[in-house]
Amino acid sequence: MKKLTMTLLTLLATNGLQAQQTPVYLDETKPMEQRIDDALGRMTLDEKIAVIHAQSKFSSPGVKRLGFPDLWTDDGPHGVRPDVLWDEWVQAGQTNDSCVAFPALTCLAATWNPDLARLYGESLGEEALYRNKNVMLGPGVNILRTPLNGRNFEYMGEDPWLASRMVVPYVQGLQSKGVAACVKHYALNNDEEYRHQVNVIVSDRALHEIYLPAFKAAVQEGGAWAIMGAYNLYKNQHNCHNDIMLNKILKQDWGFDGVVISDWGGCHDTDEAVKNGLDLEFGTWTDGLTMGKTNAYDSYYLADAYKQGIKEGRYSMKELDEKVRRLLRLFYRTTMKREKPVGFLCSESHYEAALKIAQEGIVLLKNEAVKERRSQESGVRSREAAPLLPIDVTKTKRILVVGENAIKMMTVGGGSSSLKAQHEILPLDGIRARLNAQTSMLNAQCSNLNAQCSNLNAQCSNLNAQSPTLDYARGYVGDTVQSYNGVTVGRSLYETRSKEELISEAVAKAKEADVVIFFGGLNKSDHQDCEGHDRLSYDLPYAQNEVIEAILKVNPRLVYVNISGNGAALPWLDKVPAVVQAWFIGSEAGEAIASVLTGEVNPSGKLPFTWYASLDQCGAHATGSYPGTWRADHQIIDEEYKEGLFVGYRWIDKRKEESGKWKEESLPLFPFGYGLSYTTFKIGKATTDKSTMTADEAITVTIPVTNTGLRAGAETVQLYVHDVEASVERPYKELKAFSKVFLQPGETRQVSLTIDKRALSFYDDQTAQWTAEPGRFEALIGSSSGQIVSRCAFSLLPF
Ligand code: BGC
C-alpha cells in the first residue's frame, strides 16, 4: 500500500511538472486570448517589432525563440502564385509551384452560386496548404464603378449584395483549411490609374451603401482573418494607415479582430502607420532594397523608425502590443494551428471545381435565330431559322475559329494575379477536342459497319464525309509577348502578316464555313484588363471590330465569344446572332467554353455588372468624375464620386426615372443580372406571406419558376427592393436576395426569398446608422435588373 501511494505521488508530481513545463502560449487547451497574453508577455521589443513588417517579398518572421514559424503570404485571388526570390520579383524557378488556375472572380460572381464560392475557397485553400502559404492575398471585392478599371476582373461586380453573398463563402471555405483570407483592397480602390495618388471623395451614404458592404460581410459574416489596405487615399490619408477606415470603421464599428496588411508599398509614414490601424507592413520599396543596405527591411516604416520612436518615448507600447496581439491571433489561426486538413496541389477535384465554376459563370448574352447556310458539299438547303447556339457538331461540317484570344494563355498576365498554371486548355484546343471526339465516334460507327458487311462501304464514306472540320484564322494581332513574370506561354503568338492580310485570310475562310466563332475581347496586357493602369478606351482593341465587320459581310453565322473581365462597346451587335461572355476562366478555359458552345453544358451565368453600350451610360463617366482632377502640385488627384449611390443599374434606373421612359439609345447593351439559357423559363406571379411586417419580422416572397423549354437548366430569380416613400433619395431598386434554381424540362419549383429590415434600410448620414423607415415598399422580382416580371407591395409598420 505504502509502495502504491509512493508511486501515485511520484506520478502526480511528474504530471504536475509537465503541466508546469507547458507554457500557456503553447497549451492548446487554453483559450486563444490567454495564450496571446502569455506570448506577448514573453516577447522582447525586437521580436515585437520584427513580426509587424516583412522580411522578404512575401514573408514576415514569426518568433523563432518561442516556436512561432514565419508567416508566408501569396497572391491570390485566382490560384497560388509561383514563388519569387527572397528580395526580388524574379521567379524563384521552383519546379513544384505550378497550380490550378481558377476562374477570375468576375466569373465566380457571374455564377450567382454561393456554393461554388465555398468550393472555390476550399479548393484554393488546399492548394495554398500544400504550398505552405498561410495568407492568401484575396479575394478582392472593390465595386465595379467604371468598366475601364484594369482590375475589375479580380473583383465581384457592381452590386454590394451580390459581392457580399459571394465573398462570405469564399472566405469561409478558404479559412476552413487554416489559410487566412486577406480581403482586398480596403477600400475605394475602384480604378488603377494613379492608384497611389487618387484621393477619393465620396458621400458617407455611397461609402456605406455601395463600397463597404462586401468588406463588412467578409469581416462580420465571413470572419476574415486579414484585410489589405488599399493604395489610394480617402480624406487625404492613405488607406493603409487611415484613421477613419481602419481604426473607426473596420476595427471599432465592425469589431474586426484580424490583421490589417498594407498593400505592397502602400505604407508611407511611420507616425500614421503606428497610430492609424496598420498591423503588418509589406512591400515597402525602401532605399535599402535598391541601395543594398545589409537589411533593407529594417528601413521599413514599422521597423527601426518605430523602435527608435518607442525608445525615445514618442510612442507608447500600447499601439505596438495591439498590433502584435493581432499578429499572434493570426499565428494561432494559421501557422500555429496543429490540426489542419491535408493540402494538395493540382488534384482532379481542383480541376473539377475550376471547370464547374467556369461552366456556371459563362454568360450567354445573345442567341438569335439565324438561317442555316446551304452547305455546298452536302447540298443541305437552308433550314428553318434556329438559334445559332448550341453548335450541333453532328450537323455542322465546317467550323472556323478566328481571333488571337482563341490561342492566347490568359492565366499569365494582368499583374499580381498572374499564375503558373500546370495546364491551361486554350479555346481552340477545347473546341478541337470536341470535334475530335465527334470524328472518333463516327469512325467507330464506320468500322462497325465495315465489320458487318463490305457493301456498307458507301454508308461508311457517307459517315466519314460527316466528320466536322475545324479551321483557324488569326484575324488580329494583340499581344505577342511570350513570357510574363518568368512564365513562358506555351504557344508562339509570333506573327508577321499585316492587318489586311489577316483580315483577308479570315474572310476567305469564313466564306466556306458553316459557323464562325470569333474569340476577342481584352487580354490582360497593359491597359487591357491589367493591374497598374486602366483601359484607355471602352472599344475593343487591335482592330477587332474591323475583322468582325469584314467577316459579317460574307458570313452572318458568327458567334462572338468575349474574353475579359469588363464590358466593351459592341458596335456590330445587331448583326451578330450569338454572343457569349467567357471571362478569364483559368486552367479549364477551353474545355468550359467548348462544352457551353456545343451544348453539353447549358449556360446559366448572369452578368455581375451592367454592360453599357457606351461610357456615357455609366455614372462615373456621365458625371465627368473619372479619373479626377490633379491638384496644382500634381502629387494628388482628387476623384469625387459625383454619381454617389448611383452605380451600375442604379444609375440606369435613375436616368430612366428622370426621363420618364426608356429611350432606346439609353439602354445598356445588357442589364445587370442578365443571362440567357438554351432553355426558357417562366417566372410566375410572386406572393408574400404577409402584407405588413414589423421591424423584428421577416417577409418571405414566393415565386413559381417553370422550365418551359426542352432542356434542363438553371434560372436565377432576383429580388430587388423598391422604397416607395423614402424621405431621402434612394436608388429606384436594389438587389436584396436571389436564388439559382435548377429545373428539369417542364418542372416548376416554388422559390422563396426572405428579407428583413436590413434589406429595407439606408445609411442615415445624419445619425451614422442604418435606418429602415416605416412605410410602403415593393419587392420586384425578375430574371435581371432589366426584366422585372412581378411586384409585391408590403409595408413596414411604425416601431
Ligand atoms: C497588389 C496586391 C497584391 C500585392 C502583392 C500589389 O501590387 O495591389 O493586390 O496582393 O501587390 O503581389
Side-chain angles (χ1 to χ4, degrees), residues 549-680:
E549 294 282 7
I551 293 172
L552 284 171
K553 284 195 182 117
V554 300
N555 192 339
R557 294 174 58 81
L558 181 85
V559 180
Y560 175 69
V561 182
N562 192 69
I563 307 289
S564 74
N566 272 310
L570 307 177
W572 31 256
L573 185 61
D574 283 351
K575 293 177 266 178
V576 170
V579 177
V580 173
Q581 172 59 21
W583 315 109
F584 300 115
I585 44 177
S587 286
E588 297 291 89
E591 172 69 13
I593 293 169
S595 67
V596 167
L597 293 180
T598 57
E600 192 181 307
V601 166
N602 191 355
S604 62
K606 298 270 186 176
L607 285 179
F609 54 71
T610 304
W611 191 305
Y612 305 106
S614 56
L615 279 186
D616 54 12
Q617 294 185 337
C618 166
H621 297 273
T623 54
S625 49
Y626 170 91
T629 313
W630 285 103
R631 292 185 191 169
D633 60 2
H634 211 79
Q635 295 300 306
I636 300 290
I637 178 166
D638 286 309
E639 188 170 3
E640 185 180 352
Y641 290 10
K642 289 189 191 144
E643 73 286 4
L645 299 165
F646 302 96
V647 174
Y649 65 88
R650 291 164 168 83
W651 178 263
I652 300 284
D653 282 348
K654 183 176 161 66
R655 302 279 299 123
K656 182 184 166 192
E657 275 187 293
E658 281 165 2
S659 63
K661 198 170 172 296
W662 279 111
K663 287 204 189 81
E664 200 52 37
E665 63 275 15
S666 62
L667 282 171
L669 293 186
F670 308 106
F672 168 80
Y674 181 79
L676 301 169
S677 163
Y678 294 148
T679 186
T680 46

Side-chain angles (χ1 to χ4, degrees), residues 273-285:
V274 169
K275 295 174 182 160
N276 294 348
L278 179 65
D279 301 310
L280 179 55
E281 180 185 359
F282 260 101
T284 305
W285 195 252

Side-chain angles (χ1 to χ4, degrees), residues 152-170:
N152 282 340
F153 73 95
E154 289 186 66
Y155 304 143
M156 299 198 190
E158 73 181 31
D159 185 77
W161 178 259
L162 175 63
S164 301
R165 290 314 94 212
M166 299 305 284
V167 73
V168 168
Y170 179 118

Side-chain angles (χ1 to χ4, degrees), residues 58 75 81 89 137 151 184-185 195 228 231 263-264 416 531:
F58 283 99
D75 287 300
R81 179 179 175 161
W89 290 110
L137 304 174
R151 278 187 105 168
K184 66 192 189 183
H185 305 88
R195 60 183 176 170
M228 184 187 286
Y231 283 136
D263 198 345
W264 269 230
S416 56
E531 182 177 339

Side-chain angles (χ1 to χ4, degrees), residues 670-739:
F670 308 106
F672 168 80
Y674 181 79
L676 301 169
S677 163
Y678 294 148
T679 186
T680 46
F681 299 98
K682 181 170 185 317
I683 299 183
K685 192 169 163 24
T687 49
T688 53
D689 63 344
K690 46 179 92 66
S691 56
T692 57
M693 64 183 268
T694 65
D696 302 326
E697 284 176 337
I699 187 163
T700 296
V701 182
T702 303
I703 313 110
V705 189
T706 308
N707 181 344
T708 50
L710 300 173
R711 295 188 51 143
E715 174 63 301
T716 300
V717 185
Q718 301 160 38
L719 184 158
Y720 298 82
V721 169
H722 170 54
D723 189 345
V724 181
E725 47 189 7
S727 67
V728 295
E729 189 180 27
R730 298 198 68 179
Y732 178 77
K733 66 175 185 293
E734 298 191 273
L735 181 74
K736 292 296 172 186
F738 61 86
S739 175

